[in-house]
């Protein structure tokens, strides 16, 4: 970076020579400041800031910084220099000069359209105008600064300005107005709870409520201040002086509530803390308050006078008018009933210090004491009336300054809230659109799913209908076959049997014909027509046909079934399945006992077939005996057909038949 300038200068010189320029080439800074000049600027600024207590050195350094930044046309750095210069001048009490520099800062910031520095410039004007005792004018500057920071959405600086405004109103004695402004300040810190400005606003509210004699609210806000200051969020951000100040305020509030013992305990502890900190100013403040409260508790105590005079002596060394006012007021009240001359002296001294600060509230307090002690002081009465009227006028003017701003705040808040509501409405509209779209999509999916399901169901019902029709066709064909067998084969064979009975060689022929007749009868029985109206009796007769001297057959629960609810196709399946099982038992199982148990179940019936025969060969018997055909028929109508495969011998089958398909 440092090599840039030496390279650029020869190049510029060559370029000028090439163009035939005869004028003298000078160093150009149009391409930006060199690194060395920037380093010098930083050095000037840091030297000034570091040596702020040394006026000559700090003011010389900052002037060099400002002049260099103006030379380089770096407005933002010039504004920064003006900020530090006002601080130096204010620190050394040159308030008029600080105001002049603040005006320069405002002009440059306005020219550069730098809103942030404009807001800071107005704040500087407020600080040094207030230092000159012009509180209302200062309040106006603070208000202008607040509005700029509010408008650029700098909520932190906006809240800081409202804190200063609230404190200014308290100085003017407008504690109600101070309350309102402080509460407004809290609104700007809703999303920044870690700012030390929050502590300042809490403390301001505690002070203003105390002055309004609302001690419960004063304690509430003071407690919030102390708790927050001791939290992990703030413990490292605030100093011991602030902690002393907050607790000193608490002691004063408790004293106002006449809780003197609690107040004294707090102040005695704070006195020790001030000694440890070696802070004579705070020590004098606490000592003076402690002496006053001990006197309020016991007007004849022997400690108060010494405490008050010691505090005054310490304060006189620092020559701080604000502290001197408090000491002289305390002593004037203390001596009021025991030494009028001393009381008047201290009241006069308080009046002098207050007048030097142009603190009208303290001037009024001193004048009230003087007029009470000496009713002949007509000049004091006249001044009292004049100051009181002036103070009321200033309070009024301050309120008139902030009221339009507060109205703007409310309007902006409403607009902001309306904007938020509009965003919420738009989000809700989008959300509802998405919900409606999702519902529509869901409806389409449900419709598609149901349509496919209905189509599948129709297809299934069609298949079932076809199956049912096939079963009916088979059943009808079987009926025709049964009738034909009965009418032709069985009758004719029976006739031949009767004729052969008369032959002497009848035994062998009769045996064969008996076999043919039995087969024909079985075919007829297997394909018999079913009487659906008296299905239970039909089914019972068919089952009992298989009963013999060798095999006992038991039927259980047949009468408990609601046969009228069972559709005819399903009755045919029940009949055929049981017939197949009984035929299989008769031909192959060698069973001695067979039982069929009927049970009514929800929307159908259950049949449990059991015999104690040789059982079923799972690999061969199913297909061979036609049971697998029956199993398929049951499943096609939505039923179930399960074997108990755990049995070592015999057969057990569970069948479930639905009432309808």
């Amino acid at each position: 970076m440092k090599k840039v300038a030496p390279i650029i200068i020869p190049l510029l010189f060559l370029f000028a020579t090439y163009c035939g320029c005869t004028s003298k080439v000078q160093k150009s800074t149009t391409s930006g400041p060199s690194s060395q000049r920037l380093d010098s600027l930083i050095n000037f600024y840091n030297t000034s800031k570091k040596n702020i207590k040394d006026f000559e050195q700090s003011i010389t350094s900052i002037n060099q910084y400002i002049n260099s930044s103006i030379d380089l046309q770096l407005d933002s750095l010039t504004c920064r220099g003006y900020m530090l210069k006002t601080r130096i001048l204010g620190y050394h009490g040159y308030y008029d000069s600080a105001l002049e520099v603040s005006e320069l800062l405002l002009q440059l910031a306005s020219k550069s359209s730098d809103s942030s520095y404009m807001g800071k410039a107005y704040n500087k004007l407020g600080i040094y105008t207030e230092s000159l005792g012009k509180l209302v004018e200062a309040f106006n500057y603070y208000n202008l600064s607040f509005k700029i920071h509010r408008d650029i959405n700098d909520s932190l600086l906006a809240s800081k300005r409202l804190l200063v405004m609230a404190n200014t109103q308290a100085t003017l004695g407008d504690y109600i107005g101070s309350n309102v402004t402080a509460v407004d300040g809290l609104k700007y810190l809703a999303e920044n709870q870690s700012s030390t400005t929050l502590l300042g606003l809490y403390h301001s509210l505690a002070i203003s409520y105390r002055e309004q004699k609302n001690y419960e609210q004063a304690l509430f806000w003071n407690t919030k201040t102390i708790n927050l200051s001791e939290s992990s969020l703030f413990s490292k951000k605030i100093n011991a002086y602030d902690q002393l100040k907050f607790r000193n305020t608490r002691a004063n509030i408790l004293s106002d509530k006449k809780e003197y013992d609690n107040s004294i305990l707090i102040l005695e502890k704070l006195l020790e803390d001030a000694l440890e900190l070696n802070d004579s100013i705070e020590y004098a403040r606490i000592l003076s308050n402690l002496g006053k409260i001990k006197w309020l508790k016991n007007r004849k105590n022997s400690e108060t006078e010494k405490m008050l005079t010691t505090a005054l002596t310490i304060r006189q060394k620092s020559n701080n008018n604000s502290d001197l006012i408090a000491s002289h007021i305390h002593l004037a009240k203390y001596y009021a009933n025991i030494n009028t001359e001393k009381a008047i002296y201290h009241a006069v001294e308080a009046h002098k210090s207050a007048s030097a600060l142009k603190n009208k509230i303290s001037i009024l307090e001193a004048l009230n004491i003087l007029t009470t002690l000496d009713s002949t002081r007509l000049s004091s009465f006249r001044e009292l009336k004049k100051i009181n009227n002036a103070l009321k006028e200033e309070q009024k003017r301050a309120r008139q300054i902030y009221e339009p701003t507060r109205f703007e705040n409310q309007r902006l808040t409403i607009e902001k809230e309306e904007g938020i509501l509009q965003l919420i409405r738009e989000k809700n509209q989008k959300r509802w659109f998405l919900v409606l779209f999702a519902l529509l999509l869901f409806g389409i999916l449900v419709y598609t799913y149901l349509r496919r399901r209905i189509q599948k169901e129709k297809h299934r019902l069609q298949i079932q209908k076809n199956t049912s029709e096939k079963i009916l066709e088979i059943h009808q064909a079987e009926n025709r076959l049964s009738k034909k067998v009965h009418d032709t084969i069985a009758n004719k064979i029976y006739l031949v049997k009767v004729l052969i009975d008369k032959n002497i060689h009848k035994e062998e022929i009769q045996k064969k014909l008996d076999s043919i007749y039995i087969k024909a009868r079985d075919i007829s029985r297997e394909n018999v027509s079913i009487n659906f109206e008296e299905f239970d009796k039909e089914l019972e007769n068919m089952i009992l046909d298989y009963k013999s001297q060798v095999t006992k057959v038991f039927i259980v629960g047949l009468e408990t079934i609601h046969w009228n609810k069972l559709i005819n196709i399903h009755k045919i399946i029940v009949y055929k399945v049981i017939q197949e099982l009984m035929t299989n038992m008769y031909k192959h199982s060698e069973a001695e006992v067979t039982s069929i148990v009927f049970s009514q179940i929800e929307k159908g019936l259950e049949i449990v077939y059991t015999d104690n025969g040789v059982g079923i060969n799972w690999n061969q018997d199913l297909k061979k005996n036609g049971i697998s055909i029956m199993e398929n028929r049951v499943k096609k109508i939505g039923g179930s057909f399960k074997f108990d495969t755990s049995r070592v011998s015999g057969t057990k089958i569970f069948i479930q038949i639905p009432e309808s398909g």
Side-chain angles (χ1 to χ4, degrees), residues 480-492 524:
R480 289 194 299 271
L481 179 61
S482 174
K483 191 173 184 301
K484 186 175 181 181
V485 169
H486 185 272
D487 292 344
T488 57
I489 298 174
N491 289 339
K492 288 181 179 180
S524 178

Side-chain angles (χ1 to χ4, degrees), residues 195-210:
S195 170
T196 51
T197 306
L198 187 64
L199 284 173
L201 290 166
Y202 284 172
H203 183 63
S204 177
L205 285 165
I207 295 295
S208 60
Y209 274 119
R210 180 195 170 207

Side-chain angles (χ1 to χ4, degrees), residues 282-492:
E282 275 307 302
Y283 180 83
R285 188 196 312 277
I286 296 163
L287 186 64
S288 186
N289 283 336
L290 182 60
K292 180 193 74 171
I293 293 167
K294 281 182 175 286
W295 172 71
L296 289 172
K297 180 186 176 185
N298 179 9
R299 300 292 173 108
K300 295 181 180 181
N301 81 85
S302 59
E303 298 176 279
T304 292
E305 185 175 13
K306 185 178 180 181
M307 287 181 172
L308 295 178
T309 54
T310 302
L312 175 61
T313 302
I314 295 170
R315 285 171 161 175
Q316 283 172 334
K317 290 178 182 178
S318 64
N319 197 29
N320 185 311
N321 279 320
S322 179
D323 292 334
L324 287 172
I325 292 169
S327 277
H328 284 304
I329 292 292
H330 289 169
L331 282 163
K333 289 180 178 179
Y334 172 75
Y335 286 123
N337 294 321
I338 58 176
N339 190 327
T340 304
E341 186 179 346
K342 284 186 176 182
I344 291 173
Y345 166 78
H346 286 293
V348 169
E349 290 299 312
H351 181 270
K352 286 179 183 178
S353 296
S355 298
L357 290 176
K358 299 181 181 179
N359 187 328
K360 290 184 175 62
I361 293 294
S362 296
I363 292 172
L364 286 176
E365 190 172 11
L367 289 172
N368 277 321
I369 295 171
L370 283 171
T371 53
T372 301
L373 293 171
D374 185 0
S375 59
T376 63
R377 298 177 71 95
L378 297 178
S379 60
S380 295
F381 279 106
R382 285 194 293 270
E383 186 182 4
L384 180 66
K385 183 178 180 181
K386 180 182 176 181
I387 295 294
N388 194 45
N389 290 337
L391 191 60
K392 287 180 179 178
E393 182 61 26
E394 287 182 348
Q395 291 173 357
K396 180 181 177 182
R397 284 168 58 200
R399 287 195 181 189
Q400 287 173 342
I401 288 169
Y402 184 56
E403 280 172 1
T405 303
R406 194 158 191 268
F407 176 77
E408 288 176 13
N409 294 345
Q410 292 170 345
R411 179 180 57 79
L412 290 170
T413 301
I414 291 169
E415 288 176 0
K416 185 178 179 181
E417 289 174 352
E418 287 177 350
I420 293 169
L421 287 172
Q422 182 61 28
L423 286 174
I424 292 171
R425 281 194 290 268
E426 288 174 2
K427 285 182 180 179
N428 286 338
Q429 286 175 354
K430 290 178 182 178
R431 190 179 291 114
W432 278 114
F433 174 77
L434 289 173
V435 168
L436 290 172
F437 178 76
L439 288 172
L440 180 63
L441 183 61
F442 178 74
I444 292 170
L445 291 173
V446 169
Y447 171 77
T448 305
Y449 169 76
L450 291 175
R451 186 180 178 187
R452 287 181 180 176
R453 187 172 177 182
I454 290 167
Q455 287 175 342
K456 285 182 180 179
E457 185 67 15
K458 284 181 178 179
H459 183 64
R460 188 187 69 80
L461 291 172
Q462 186 62 42
I463 292 172
Q464 186 172 322
K465 181 181 178 183
N466 294 340
T467 303
S468 299
E469 289 174 353
K470 286 179 181 178
I471 291 170
L472 283 171
E473 288 174 5
I474 292 167
H475 181 64
Q476 290 168 358
E478 287 173 346
N479 286 341
R480 289 194 299 271
L481 179 61
S482 174
K483 191 173 184 301
K484 186 175 181 181
V485 169
H486 185 272
D487 292 344
T488 57
I489 298 174
N491 289 339
K492 288 181 179 180

